[in-house]
Amino acid sequence: MRVRLCLAALSLVGGATVATVTAPSATAAACSDIDVVAARGTFEPGTLGFIVGDPVFSALQRKLTGRNLSSYWVNYPADLSPTSAAQGNADLVNHVKSQASTCPNQRFILVGYSQGANVVDNSIGISSAGAVVGSPIVATLPAAVEPRVAAVLLFGNPIRAIGKSVTGTYQSRTIDFCAQGDPVCQAGGNDTLAHLGYTADADAAAAFAAGKV
């Protein structure tokens, strides 16, 4: 399973043109203090994602004691289909917009691993088109919601392999982990197992987010 996950992420380069993507309606959660919205990697198992989402959420619970946290699993295929990341992009934006409307005091932490980082990139206005399992942007978080996004936590972000990164409005609230040799986020990287080791960064990511909340 571990090898399949890594090779699947490496096997598709380039983004297909996406026409119209319809995402499922986001389901409103309870009005917690902080909603952790996690987009898993390609074929990644786990509740929020075995390698990143689940350990990061646990680390955030330890760091943000006294805060009520909820979580949301971005509803998208996380496969190699050309519209997969675009479907995640649409669902993430729909969910955050719905929650922001329902819960005026709620803040958000966005988490993305591998293809899920493409989903988050697109949602904050940084196109992942041309990256491994990337896509053009189909939706972005509205300006009214932007101040409520406390932190953006990215791991094995494919846009880095094509010379891009998060810039602009969200840059100071973003931490973007790319392991040495990870071919998904590092051009010329050749250590496929490096792409599977981001659980080790969960505490550092949570500490960064805690400093932004």
Side-chain angles (χ1 to χ4, degrees):
M1 182 65 192
R2 288 164 64 88
V3 173
R4 180 190 178 206
L5 170 63
C6 192
L7 294 182
L10 297 174
S11 63
L12 182 62
V13 178
T17 299
V18 177
T20 302
V21 175
T22 302
S25 297
T27 301
C31 291
S32 62
D33 296 324
I34 301 166
D35 192 30
V36 180
V37 182
R40 69 200 188 282
T42 306
F43 301 132
E44 185 186 11
T47 303
L48 298 176
F50 177 77
I51 294 171
V52 167
D54 292 340
V56 167
F57 186 71
S58 295
L60 286 167
Q61 289 178 310
R62 293 191 298 271
K63 298 287 185 184
L64 296 172
T65 54
R67 304 291 184 95
N68 180 24
L69 271 62
S70 60
S71 65
Y72 180 76
W73 177 84
V74 174
N75 186 5
Y76 84 113
D79 61 17
L80 298 178
S81 60
T83 63
S84 176
Q87 290 179 65
N89 173 195
D91 184 71
L92 187 154
V93 171
N94 283 347
H95 171 75
V96 172
K97 286 169 62 178
S98 175
Q99 283 298 113
S101 175
T102 303
C103 306
N105 297 317
Q106 190 172 60
R107 301 186 73 193
F108 302 93
I109 294 173
L110 308 183
V111 181
Y113 165 53
S114 195
Q115 184 176 173
N118 286 337
V119 168
V120 175
D121 291 331
N122 284 6
S123 300
I124 61 174
I126 309 294
S127 175
S128 66
V132 173
V133 287
S135 80
I137 294 170
V138 297
T140 55
L141 295 174
V145 171
E146 173 268 313
R148 294 167 61 181
V149 177
V152 178
L153 313 179
L154 303 175
F155 305 79
N157 188 356
I159 69 170
R160 292 186 56 173
I162 59 172
K164 296 178 68 176
S165 62
V166 174
T167 57
T169 303
Y170 292 92
Q171 184 175 11
S172 65
R173 284 171 275 169
T174 298
I175 190 166
D176 192 341
F177 296 91
C178 180
Q180 180 64 35
D182 179 353
V184 175
C185 59
Q186 183 182 88
N190 58 9
D191 183 0
T192 56
L193 291 179
H195 192 60
L196 304 176
Y198 290 104
T199 301
D201 297 307
D203 280 346
F208 174 84
K212 300 295 182 180
V213 172

